[in-house]
Amino acid sequence: MKNNQRLRRLTLAALLLALSVVLGRFFIIPIPWTHGYINLCDAGILIAAMLLGPAYGTAVGGFGGMFLDLLSGYPQYALFSLIAHGLEGFTTGYLSRRAGERRGYQILALIVGVVVMALCYFFSDSFMYHTWMVGLLSIGGNLLQGVIGGALALWLVPHLRKRIQ
């Protein structure tokens, strides 16, 4: 029985990884001053983190962000996305697990995960382009991307939990 449950969780994680990449490719808004873009990959990452916990959230986040950058023509961001979205998935999954079913704490878990991701991109953009200004300019777009993904996750996760169980 335990192997069956593990296989179901792994399959769901793989589907959410594919979903985050597809959502990221479907909805792209370039941000010229940071050489990045806004997309919906965070929705899949945050759903995985809230449904499956920190380990799967890390894997879906890290690999989803990295694959998306490689497929989208931004290979210079692949390593940074692996770290930023991986930490986003881990943080959200960990805090979401601790929060249980309490809605206010679930929202807090999403906010902290999105802020962690935005801070990672702040440092990566500042490092890549040798100026703090580019890092500062990236914060708004990354927060917007995360908030949209978090809102979708917050709306979808309760419905998905009912279907999965």
Side-chain angles (χ1 to χ4, degrees):
M1 188 66 168
K2 190 169 182 148
N3 285 336
N4 185 27
Q5 191 72 290
R6 187 176 299 149
L7 180 62
R8 290 180 70 177
R9 292 174 65 84
L10 187 59
T11 303
L12 181 58
L15 288 170
L16 288 169
L17 172 59
L19 177 69
S20 72
V21 173
V22 168
L23 286 174
R25 285 298 300 153
F26 176 71
F27 180 77
I28 295 177
I29 299 173
I31 304 173
W33 56 84
T34 65
H35 305 285
Y37 55 90
I38 295 174
N39 62 60
L40 289 178
C41 77
D42 291 275
I45 294 166
L46 296 171
I47 290 169
M50 293 176 76
L51 284 178
L52 301 172
Y56 287 108
T58 302
V60 170
F63 290 120
M66 182 181 71
F67 292 153
L68 181 59
D69 284 337
L70 292 173
L71 291 171
S72 300
Y74 293 93
Q76 71 274 20
Y77 275 99
L79 178 61
F80 298 118
S81 291
L82 175 74
I83 295 166
H85 288 292
L87 285 174
E88 176 187 30
F90 175 80
T91 304
T92 303
Y94 178 77
L95 294 175
S96 181
R97 256 302 133 80
R98 306 253 335 184
E101 296 295 320
R102 297 173 292 202
R103 186 84 163 166
Y105 290 108
Q106 292 288 335
I107 293 169
L108 182 61
L110 288 167
I111 290 170
V112 172
V114 167
V115 168
V116 165
M117 179 267 300
L119 284 173
C120 287
Y121 277 118
F122 163 75
F123 287 112
S124 68
D125 285 335
S126 297
F127 171 75
M128 283 177 40
Y129 299 104
H130 307 290
T131 177
W132 294 104
M133 187 54 67
V134 175
L136 286 172
L137 290 172
S138 73
I139 291 175
N142 286 315
L143 287 176
L144 178 63
Q145 174 178 307
V147 166
I148 293 169
L152 285 171
L154 198 60
W155 176 61
L156 287 172
V157 165
H159 302 293
L160 292 173
R161 274 202 179 112
K162 288 178 189 174
R163 299 281 182 195
I164 293 171
Q165 314 229 355

